[in-house]
Amino acid sequence: MSINFEIVATLKAAKETDAFKPFEVRDFNSGWQNTRYRFNAISGTNRFQLEIAGGKWKDDKKNQILTFTRAETGKKPEKLTVKWEDRKSKEIIDQVAGYRIYTCNLLTFDERKALEDEGKAEEAQKKNHQFLEKTEYAALVKRVIDSGKYVDAKFRILGTIEFQYSESKNQFYRTLSVDKMYRVADDTPCKTEMTLNAFYTEDAVDADSYDDTKKYFFNCFTDHYFSSVKANRFVPLTLVINGNGDEKAEKKANAFKKMFEKFDDEATVRKVGLVCQMIDGAESVAITYADLDDETKENIDAGLISEEDAIKALGGNMMGNRVTEYRVQSLSRTSTKGSEPTVYTEDDIRKLPVIEEVEEEVNIFGNDDDSDDI
C-alpha cells in the first residue's frame, strides 16, 4: 500500500536557480522523453514541494496508454489500452478507473453548481481538466500556476508519497506525487494529512526523551513497491506521538504507546493503519515568561502588570523553530480495532530494495554427462 496524502493549500511556483529547474523535459537517445514539474503547496505555516512526473515517446505514433477500467458491480477492473489520439476523449475517460485519472478542477463546488443551475454544464466541464497520463497534466498545472489567476486560491490536493533508494548513499528519498487537484472555498481549513500502514517490532517506541519533550518516537516501517526490484520492500519511518497541549493529548499519546508495546502473541512484527499530520514549517507556540524581554519581566516582577496580560498583549503565541515531523493523529479506517499480527519477521522488514547477486551454481558432480545412466 502506498502512503496517500491530502493537503489543502495554496499553490506557489518554485524558485528557479542554476542548479534547480522546476520544469524539466529530458530527452533520451532511445526517443523516450521524461517531463517533471515541481511546485510548492503552502498550508498554514507548512510548505511542501510537490511533483508531477511522467514519460512518453517523442514520436506520438509510438505512444499508447495502458490503464484499467472502472470497477462495476460483480465485475473486476480490466486492462484497457487507449490509443494516443483517444486520450482526451470523454467517452474513453469515463471508462477509466478513477484512480488512474489525473485531475485539475479549477472551479469550487459552489461555482460549478451555479454554472450547472444556469444550464452551463459544458462551460463548467471545461474547467475540469482530466488526463490519462502525466506529461500533459504537468504542463497544465504549470500553466495554471504561472497564469497568476489562482495565487490566493485554495486547492485540495491528493496524491501518494513515492520513495527511491540510493544504494551508494544507503538513503531513502521521498517525493510527494500529485494525482488530483480540486479548487475549494477560500475559507476551507488547511489540512496536511497522510494515511499509511505502519509495521513495527516490540521495541519500536522510544520514550527516552518524553519527560523533557512530551513526545514518543515511533520507529516503524511502511511497505512500498520499488520498480527497481519489481517487488514490495519496507521503508523506515520515525513517527511522532505528541503528548503536548493538554491532558487529553497526553492521554492519547500514552494510549498509542501502550498499543504499540503490546505483543501478546507469537508475531514479531505487527501492523496498524494510521492517519498522521505532516508538519514541515515553523509552528505557532504559546509565549511563556521565559520568552519575554527583560523590561517586561521587570514590570511583572514589580507587580506593574500581570504575566497573563503581558502575554496577551503580544498575541499569546509566537512562531517557534522549524519542525519537520509526521505526527500520529488517529487510527485509520482499516484499523479501527487497533494493531494486528503479521507473518513478517524483522529480517523481512529490514530488507533493502536492492538487486541481490545470485551465486553461480557449482556442479559438485563434475561435467560428465551421465544422463544415459538414469
Side-chain angles (χ1 to χ4, degrees):
M1 170 186 170
S2 297
I3 298 180
N4 298 314
F5 68 80
E6 178 179 353
I7 297 173
V8 175
T10 55
L11 309 179
K12 187 175 182 179
K15 185 178 180 180
E16 182 172 339
T17 66
D18 291 340
F20 177 80
K21 306 297 179 186
F23 186 76
E24 293 180 296
V25 178
R26 185 180 178 189
D27 294 329
F28 296 88
N29 293 334
S30 63
W32 187 256
Q33 183 180 74
N34 279 342
T35 298
R36 178 169 67 169
Y37 180 50
R38 289 172 287 182
F39 58 100
N40 294 321
I42 314 299
S43 184
T45 58
N46 298 294
R47 177 191 292 260
F48 301 95
Q49 184 179 102
L50 308 182
E51 179 175 303
I52 301 173
K56 70 180 188 68
W57 297 105
K58 287 185 68 176
D59 180 3
D60 285 340
K61 294 179 182 178
K62 298 170 69 173
N63 286 316
Q64 59 181 8
I65 298 169
L66 305 178
T67 187
F68 290 90
T69 60
R70 292 181 183 273
E72 297 180 8
T73 304
K75 293 178 63 177
K76 293 183 178 180
E78 297 178 354
K79 292 181 179 179
L80 178 65
T81 301
V82 178
K83 295 180 180 178
W84 187 251
E85 57 268 27
D86 293 334
R87 69 193 184 282
K88 296 182 181 179
S89 163
K90 188 176 185 306
E91 182 180 351
I92 296 294
I93 291 174
D94 287 345
Q95 297 177 39
V96 175
Y99 75 96
R100 297 299 291 266
I101 299 173
Y102 310 113
T103 302
C104 181
N105 195 325
L106 299 174
L107 295 178
T108 66
F109 175 83
D110 289 342
E111 290 171 340
R112 184 171 71 253
K113 188 174 185 303
L115 286 173
E116 291 172 349
D117 289 346
E118 295 173 10
K120 299 178 180 179
E122 288 188 11
E123 185 176 336
Q125 187 58 37
K126 289 179 181 179
K127 293 288 187 177
N128 184 26
H129 302 274
Q130 294 183 311
F131 301 86
L132 298 183
E133 57 85 39
K134 283 195 167 182
T135 62
E136 292 177 321
Y137 183 43
L140 181 277
V141 173
K142 181 180 185 300
R143 290 201 304 273
V144 168
I145 294 176
D146 289 349
S147 72
K149 296 178 181 178
Y150 302 93
V151 173
D152 298 319
K154 279 188 176 179
F155 284 82
R156 177 172 173 252
I157 307 162
L158 306 177
T160 57
I161 298 181
E162 305 294 335
F163 292 96
Q164 294 81 39
Y165 175 71
S166 169
E167 187 173 358
S168 61
K169 297 181 180 179
N170 189 27
Q171 188 169 344
F172 289 90
Y173 296 91
R174 75 162 196 186
T175 301
L176 275 67
S177 178
V178 175
D179 295 326
K180 300 183 188 300
M181 298 169 55
Y182 303 96
R183 269 279 309 281
V184 293
D186 293 341
D187 60 356
T188 304
C190 290
K191 188 176 187 178
T192 60
E193 275 189 1
M194 70 179 194
T195 305
L196 75 156
N197 281 334
F199 296 81
Y200 61 97
T201 57
E202 194 168 2
D203 58 352
V205 178
D206 179 356
D208 289 348
S209 62
Y210 185 80
D211 289 341
D212 296 326
T213 65
K214 292 297 180 186
K215 292 179 179 180
Y216 296 118
F217 296 93
F218 179 44
N219 299 304
C220 61
F221 296 79
T222 191
D223 53 334
H224 182 74
Y225 179 81
F226 287 88
S227 58
S228 57
V229 293
K230 295 182 174 59
N232 273 5
R233 291 291 186 266
F234 293 86
V235 179
L237 292 175
T238 297
L239 310 182
V240 174
I241 308 169
N242 190 13
N244 284 287
D246 54 24
E247 187 178 336
K248 185 178 179 181
E250 189 163 3
K251 184 178 180 181
K252 184 167 81 168
N254 287 323
F256 272 120
K257 176 179 182 289
K258 182 179 179 181
M259 176 188 295
F260 298 152
E261 290 180 338
K262 184 179 180 181
F263 276 72
D264 54 3
D265 48 44
E266 295 182 358
T268 57
V269 175
R270 295 184 70 87
K271 166 189 167 185
V272 64
L274 296 172
V275 177
C276 297
Q277 184 183 14
M278 300 186 294
I279 305 292
D280 198 345
E283 281 197 297
S284 176
V285 296
I287 297 173
T288 65
Y289 178 84
D291 301 313
L292 302 174
D293 59 48
D294 291 341
E295 184 177 358
T296 303
K297 288 178 181 177
E298 288 178 7
N299 290 337
I300 292 172
D301 295 342
L304 302 180
I305 188 173
S306 70
E307 180 180 335
E308 182 181 358
D309 287 343
I311 290 173
K312 278 185 178 179
L314 295 173
N317 290 283
M318 65 179 185
M319 299 311 296
N321 296 325
R322 184 176 183 85
V323 177
T324 301
E325 292 179 350
Y326 298 139
R327 288 186 185 162
V328 177
Q329 295 290 99
S330 65
L331 297 172
S332 71
R333 293 179 182 177
T334 60
S335 293
T336 55
K337 294 183 179 180
S339 67
E340 59 185 86
T342 75
V343 296
Y344 293 113
T345 65
E346 188 168 350
D347 287 341
D348 293 331
I349 63 175
R350 293 187 182 278
K351 189 174 183 180
L352 295 172
V354 296
I355 299 175
E356 299 176 351
E357 294 184 6
V358 179
E359 292 185 11
E360 185 177 350
E361 291 186 7
V362 178
N363 183 358
I364 62 174
F365 298 106
N367 294 322
D368 295 336
D369 183 358
D370 294 330
S371 56
D372 291 340
D373 297 338
I374 298 176

